[in-house]
Amino acid sequence: MRSRFLGATRALAARLALTTSLAMLTLTAPAQAEATFQRIPTQYIAALGPSSATSGTDAATWGLWPVDPGPRGVRVRNYDDLKAAAGIAPAGWQFDANAWWIEENGLIMEAPSFPLPAGKYVVTGGREATAILTVTAPDANGAQGWSLSDAASVYDVTHLRCRAALYTPRDGASCTPDNTPLSRFPMPPSEDMPSINGCAKQDYQVLIVVGMMVGD
C-alpha cells in the first residue's frame, strides 16, 4: 500500500493498454456489450470472506480506501502522540478507540469507508491475475452481491504483502495500540496480523484497484 506498488500498477497499466492509450481500454464481453476501462488513482479494498471465493453476497462488509492509507498512518510507537492530539492524526483523520486498524508495518491506519460502493472495479494483487470485480447495490435487506471475472478468486487478486486488521475491545477489556507486539513488524506474507491483549481481531484481505469499468 505504498510506493512498492507503483511498479506493479504501472506494469499492469501497460499490459491493459496494449494497443490503446494508457487512459482507456475497450473490452468486449461475451454478450458483445462493450465496457471501457478508465484508469483512476490507485485505491484499496478491504475484503472479507474465503480467499477461494469467486462471488458472494457480503460486499456490504467490504471497505474502500480511496487513497493509500499507509503514508497517512501513525506508527504504533507514536500512539501517545496520537492520544495527546485528541486522536487526530497528522493527516487529519480521527482515531476511533473502539475500532482501529493496523497494517503490516505497524502503522495505525484510518478506517476504510463502508460499504463498498456499487460498480465495476479493475482489481489486482500485483501478481499475475487481474479481474473485474462487480459489486451490486444493496438489496432491501442490505445484502450486496459481488463477483470476479475470469474465474478469479479473492486470493488471486489479493496483494499478499499488504495486510490490514481491525481491532475492537473484547468484552469490555482495554484494547489499545500500545499493547501491540512491535517485534512482529514488518509482517511476512505468510503470517496473519498479530493478536493484541484485550482485543478481538478481524483480518482483511487487501485488493489493489487500478481502474473502473464504465459504459457497458
Side-chain angles (χ1 to χ4, degrees), residues 4 22-23 55 76 86 101 123 142 148 162 197 202:
R4 66 172 177 260
L22 286 175
S55 64
V76 170
W101 295 71
V123 295
L148 286 164
C162 183
N197 289 339
Q202 176 65 70

Side-chain angles (χ1 to χ4, degrees), residues 114-170:
F114 290 93
L116 186 61
K120 293 179 181 289
Y121 301 80
V122 182
V123 295
T124 179
R127 293 175 284 146
E128 294 300 320
T130 300
I132 299 171
L133 170 66
T134 299
V135 178
T136 65
D139 64 17
N141 298 315
Q144 230 178 327
W146 65 270
S147 62
L148 286 164
S149 68
D150 304 312
S153 68
V154 172
Y155 174 83
D156 293 333
V157 291
T158 293
H159 189 74
L160 300 180
R161 294 184 62 186
C162 183
R163 302 301 174 64
L166 170 64
Y167 294 89
T168 55
R170 177 185 286 119

